[in-house]
Amino acid sequence: MNLEEVVQERLQLLRSVTNLTETKCKGCEIHSSKAGNKSCEGCPTLSEFRKLGDKLTVNLNKMRILRGQPVPRKQIKNVKIVGGKMSKQLTTETYHRLKAQGLTDSAIRKQLGIESNKFYKFKKENGLIGAYGNAATKKEEDTPALREKEVSAHKVDNDRVSILEKELNDIKVHLKDAMSFIESLKTENASLNEQLWGNRLQSLYAKQAELENFIARKHGISIHDYLDEQQLSILVELAESANEWQGFKYWKLNKNVDREKLLEETVDVLHLILARGIALGWQIAAVKAMTNQSITGQYKALIQSVAIDKDAESKFTYEETFNLYVGLVEMLGFTWTEVEAAYLKKHQENIDRQNNDY
């Protein structure tokens, strides 16, 4: 019988105890008031409890033997564990476990209550003669036994708390290194992002300044003379972009969007946002998309940002407008590469219009 079978036996015994607990002796029920809730004389239920208690004790001792733990001498006689080819009280697994604890054959025999000749026969039939020492002598009760050498158990760090604490500390160190690496990547990415946007925006601002200065010279005006008209123009172009998008038209079933036309109208907004920054001296180096839960909400937020009173307008509000615009571009499904290409195409068209007295 191995440890698993002993455990199964114990579970079965415990189930029997549970079932017996739910069983009531008729005699006890009849005399319970007189006997003060004590069991009746010769109570069969109580007798069964005692038998189960004895069986549980034997089962516990079996478990102790298989685990290499000492068994009380008074209880060892009732313990029967089948193992090997002959022994009724010992298994090869238990024998090796007890030897690993440094016990001699004599100590094992005494602990398990096995006779010397049966113990020797068990070792012989299981190939254990000479496994842990020299040839046998007649030192112990004139019985063939081995002169045992002390075998020390291998020292193992069983302190799971200290092991887990060490592992946790290692994880914390790795996590700290990982977080530092992530932060360095964020910093590097932000720097690269600013450099990338800086180069792109610088080119766009330069192109737009070329057009604005051309218009100012051609019409004999200053770029600061038409700030109100410029602000209104951005709102008009936003409305034209929204009209091409059509998503707000709840009354319309067939919303066939012309993507190229929508891109063109949306890029017209960019021309005027760049022109606004040039007129007010608020050219920015980088942008970060700001988005709402819906495209309708994005258009409304952008319109509110543009329609701000001139006294409240600042570089901060201008940056917010640009970030909302970039968010709108993303929500409409355009890439910034598409926007830049469309901008350059429309920029040349605007130059040609001025040359042709548009």
Side-chain angles (χ1 to χ4, degrees):
M1 182 175 287
N2 56 32
L3 184 59
E4 182 179 354
E5 292 172 334
V6 172
V7 172
Q8 291 294 334
E9 181 185 61
R10 186 167 190 81
L11 292 173
Q12 183 61 42
L13 289 171
L14 291 174
R15 282 194 288 268
S16 298
V17 171
T18 301
N19 294 335
L20 192 60
T21 303
E22 298 174 354
T23 304
K24 294 184 179 179
C25 172
K26 293 182 179 180
C28 293
E29 290 178 346
I30 295 172
H31 302 290
S32 60
S33 60
K34 297 179 181 179
N37 290 329
K38 295 182 180 179
S39 61
C40 62
E41 186 176 353
C43 176
T45 305
L46 181 60
S47 176
E48 289 297 323
F49 269 122
R50 288 172 179 164
K51 290 179 182 179
L52 287 173
D54 292 339
K55 291 180 180 179
L56 284 169
T57 300
V58 172
N59 176 270
L60 177 60
N61 289 330
K62 289 179 183 179
M63 198 172 296
R64 286 172 174 165
I65 290 174
L66 290 174
R67 289 176 175 172
Q69 299 173 344
V71 179
R73 295 287 297 175
K74 293 181 180 180
Q75 301 174 4
I76 192 66
K77 294 180 179 180
N78 296 324
V79 182
K80 301 293 180 181
I81 299 179
V82 179
K85 298 178 181 178
M86 180 278 300
S87 176
K88 298 295 184 180
Q89 297 177 316
L90 180 64
T91 65
T92 54
E93 180 184 0
T94 305
Y95 177 78
H96 287 305
R97 187 181 295 112
L98 294 174
K99 293 298 290 185
Q101 296 179 13
L103 298 180
T104 63
D105 278 4
S106 177
I108 294 173
R109 284 194 306 99
K110 289 179 181 179
Q111 185 178 101
L112 301 181
I114 302 175
E115 295 178 3
S116 300
N117 60 338
K118 291 183 178 181
F119 186 74
Y120 178 77
K121 190 177 180 181
F122 163 79
K123 290 184 64 178
K124 184 177 181 180
E125 291 182 351
N126 289 280
L128 298 173
I129 300 297
Y132 287 91
N134 299 322
T137 67
K138 297 240 178 192
K139 184 176 180 181
E140 295 183 11
E141 304 175 8
D142 297 326
T143 303
L146 298 177
R147 191 197 317 260
E148 307 294 342
K149 72 175 183 178
E150 295 296 327
V151 180
S152 300
H154 180 65
K155 293 183 179 180
V156 180
D157 183 7
N158 292 320
D159 188 356
R160 284 297 295 166
V161 175
S162 63
I163 293 174
L164 290 174
E165 286 180 346
K166 184 178 182 303
E167 291 178 353
L168 180 60
N169 288 333
D170 291 341
I171 291 173
K172 286 181 178 179
V173 171
H174 291 309
L175 181 61
K176 184 177 180 181
D177 292 340
M179 293 303 295
S180 298
F181 179 66
I182 290 172
E183 289 302 319
S184 67
L185 286 180
K186 286 182 178 179
T187 302
E188 182 180 354
N189 185 60
S191 177
L192 290 173
N193 182 59
E194 184 171 345
Q195 182 179 355
L196 176 63
W197 276 107
N199 293 337
R200 284 176 151 182
L201 294 176
Q202 185 177 3
S203 175
L204 293 177
Y205 275 118
K207 290 285 185 182
Q208 192 64 38
E210 175 187 352
L211 177 61
E212 296 302 311
N213 290 328
F214 186 13
I215 293 172
R217 288 195 302 269
K218 186 176 182 64
H219 296 277
I221 57 175
S222 168
I223 58 176
H224 299 285
D225 293 339
Y226 48 85
L227 290 177
D228 286 340
E229 290 77 7
Q230 189 181 67
Q231 187 178 41
L232 179 59
S233 297
I234 298 175
L235 294 174
V236 170
E237 294 297 340
L238 274 172
E240 291 182 0
S241 171
N243 193 55
E244 288 297 328
W245 169 60
Q246 303 184 60
F248 67 94
K249 298 180 180 181
Y250 59 89
W251 60 88
K252 189 174 181 181
L253 293 177
N254 299 317
K255 301 182 181 72
N256 297 319
V257 179
D258 184 336
R259 193 174 187 274
E260 291 301 319
K261 184 63 175 175
L262 174 60
L263 176 60
E264 181 182 349
E265 295 296 346
T266 304
V267 168
D268 283 345
V269 178
L270 176 61
H271 283 269
L272 292 165
I273 290 178
L274 291 170
R276 188 72 171 177
I278 292 169
L280 297 172
W282 293 335
Q283 299 184 30
I284 58 178
V287 292
K288 184 177 180 181
M290 293 175 59
T291 57
N292 281 265
Q293 293 183 348
S294 67
I295 296 178
T296 298
Q298 190 73 9
Y299 272 111
K300 288 177 62 180
L302 188 49
I303 289 171
Q304 290 171 1
S305 177
V306 172
I308 190 171
D309 188 88
K310 285 193 301 182
D311 294 335
E313 197 173 10
S314 65
K315 186 177 182 180
F316 175 80
T317 61
Y318 177 72
E319 288 178 353
E320 181 181 58
T321 297
F322 217 131
N323 290 333
L324 286 168
Y325 174 77
V326 175
L328 176 64
V329 166
E330 292 183 1
M331 294 179 77
L332 291 176
F334 299 118
T335 66
W336 193 253
T337 301
E338 288 180 298
V339 170
E340 286 179 315
Y343 172 86
L344 293 176
K345 179 181 178 182
K346 189 60 176 289
H347 173 75
Q348 186 58 49
E349 185 180 324
N350 288 334
I351 293 291
D352 293 340
R353 283 176 175 178
Q354 292 299 318
N355 286 327
N356 295 322
D357 295 330
Y358 172 75

